[in-house]
Amino acid sequence: MDTVREVIVRQWSLGECPEHPLKYATDKYIVTKSISLLTQDQWMHLFALAIGLFLLRIVLNKLVLLPLVKLIGGLEHEYDRWLECMWQLLFYLCAWLLCSWAVSEETFFTETWRCWEPPFPNQTMSPSIYWLYMLEMGWYLYGAYAHVFIEPRKRDFWEMLLHHIAAFFLLYMSLNLGYWRVGTLVLYSLDLCDVYMQACKMLRLLDNCRPVGEVLKSLMFVVLVLAWLYFRIALYAAKVIYTTAYVPLAFAGYHNCDYYFAFNGLVIFVWLLQIFWFYLIVKVAYLKVKFGMELDDARDFTAQKNLEVLEELEKGAKKGPANGGKKKKKKSA
């Protein structure tokens, strides 16, 4: 079993990028791959996993998760939020562990130039990565359905629905166009933070019924911030953006890089989203420390109102006393 140091070394190993023998050839050597439909077996696997996730959630909620929430004394009006957090934590933990195991057998994880090695874009996909892709695509397909018909409505309902649909089609296109090795690096960099995010939410819900203390909540929040900074910002930039923006040019030359700007535009856009969400997380922490008000999931309607109140307080603190800090002079009789 790898030590923590060995895991970190593997995470940051990129490998020395060689040059393809045909890099400077006049004609491109990479055959452009067009988007096509999945095979019948692949669609069967995809829908089977989506339906399986739907049924598994029902069974887990009834037999395991809901009884567990009642056992620890969760508030009845927060049952839905408990179940949503626990379910997402379980999925993302299992998905990231599967991803970690899958990439441990792959050379492209430590030598990222192999994402483009021949016979790209027709490289052979290992069974572990194939099932990882089917699971993730099934999750977002199921997630779109659950978001509409199962989960409680939040203020960003349409944005999250669009996110589920977009995530599904990005995975679908990366699988079809042969970019699945880069897609695997993206999943490795992003999924783990969702585990910490759901853990923070569950700790906050637990505090509503059984006070856990500010120290534990603050510690968990710090872990989330550090994990987000490490995986979604730093490691994503080194492992994914470096691999898509620099390595293909160094390895094969621009004339062999199909969809270069479109593909990198999407990759960098995802990274900028992570930076924006990191800013929101830090902002919530700052307002919490300064004004001491409890904040729940910022996507809830009630939590959003609290956030607006805090922002108003922050603006008021900057302006000083009412009326611009000037006291009204009493009129002389």
Side-chain angles (χ1 to χ4, degrees), residues 41-311:
D41 287 343
Q42 288 173 328
W43 280 115
M44 288 180 62
H45 295 159
L46 179 58
F47 281 108
L49 285 169
I51 295 172
L53 288 169
F54 171 73
L55 297 176
L56 179 61
R57 181 174 185 177
I58 294 175
V59 173
L60 280 178
N61 282 353
K62 186 174 182 179
L63 300 181
V64 180
L65 301 183
L66 185 56
L68 181 58
V69 173
K70 292 179 178 179
L71 180 65
I72 62 180
L75 301 179
E76 187 173 352
H77 68 276
E78 293 181 335
Y79 281 177
D80 288 339
R81 295 179 63 188
W82 269 107
L83 296 177
E84 180 187 358
C85 291
M86 296 170 81
W87 168 244
Q88 292 199 24
L89 185 148
L90 285 173
F91 172 80
Y92 283 112
L93 178 60
C94 293
W96 190 79
L97 290 175
L98 173 60
C99 185
S100 299
W101 173 70
V103 298
S104 68
E105 302 177 337
E106 301 288 347
T107 55
F108 71 82
F109 186 70
T110 53
E111 297 178 314
T112 57
W113 65 270
R114 293 187 181 276
C115 290
W116 316 111
E117 68 178 338
F120 174 83
N122 298 303
Q123 297 155 334
T124 302
M125 180 182 267
S126 66
S128 57
I129 292 183
Y130 170 80
W131 286 110
L132 171 67
Y133 250 76
M134 289 293 108
L135 179 64
E136 292 277 359
M137 290 171 67
W139 168 257
Y140 286 111
L141 186 63
Y142 150 78
Y145 172 83
H147 190 67
V148 176
F149 298 106
I150 299 177
E151 296 173 355
R153 294 289 177 102
K154 294 184 172 68
R155 63 181 301 272
D156 63 345
F157 172 81
W158 292 108
E159 290 88 342
M160 287 304 297
L161 180 60
L162 181 62
H163 168 268
H164 290 320
I165 295 172
F168 174 83
F169 279 105
L170 283 173
L171 287 167
Y172 181 90
M173 288 190 293
S174 68
L175 179 64
N176 266 276
L177 295 174
Y179 291 85
W180 53 267
R181 288 188 173 182
V182 174
T184 305
L185 297 178
V186 172
L187 294 175
Y188 182 87
S189 302
L190 298 184
D191 277 358
L192 184 61
C193 286
D194 283 298
V195 176
Y196 296 115
M197 176 71 77
Q198 301 307 323
C200 282
K201 293 179 183 179
M202 289 170 58
L203 192 61
R204 176 68 185 89
L205 292 173
L206 180 62
D207 187 61
N208 290 342
C209 58
R210 293 170 180 259
V212 297
E214 290 297 326
V215 174
L216 184 57
K217 289 190 293 182
S218 299
L219 180 62
M220 192 66 223
F221 193 86
V222 169
V223 172
L224 169 63
V225 170
L226 293 178
W228 199 287
L229 187 62
Y230 181 87
F231 282 96
R232 293 197 170 195
I233 296 180
L235 189 63
Y236 183 94
K239 209 77 170 176
V240 180
I241 296 179
Y242 170 81
T243 302
T244 61
Y246 169 74
V247 172
L249 298 178
F251 178 66
Y254 176 73
H255 63 291
N256 284 306
C257 298
D258 293 327
Y259 315 112
Y260 178 82
F261 287 106
F263 186 59
N264 278 285
L266 288 172
V267 167
I268 294 174
F269 176 70
V270 170
W271 185 61
L272 293 176
L273 279 178
Q274 308 311 315
I275 295 176
F276 173 70
W277 287 330
F278 181 75
Y279 159 75
L280 292 181
I281 291 173
V282 173
K283 184 177 180 180
V284 166
Y286 167 72
L287 294 174
K288 169 66 172 67
V289 169
K290 186 161 186 177
F291 297 106
M293 290 180 65
E294 294 291 352
L295 288 176
D296 296 313
D297 187 347
R299 295 179 297 150
D300 290 342
F301 287 103
T302 54
Q304 177 63 19
K305 290 179 181 178
N306 288 339
L307 185 57
E308 290 171 359
V309 170
L310 290 175
E311 289 174 344

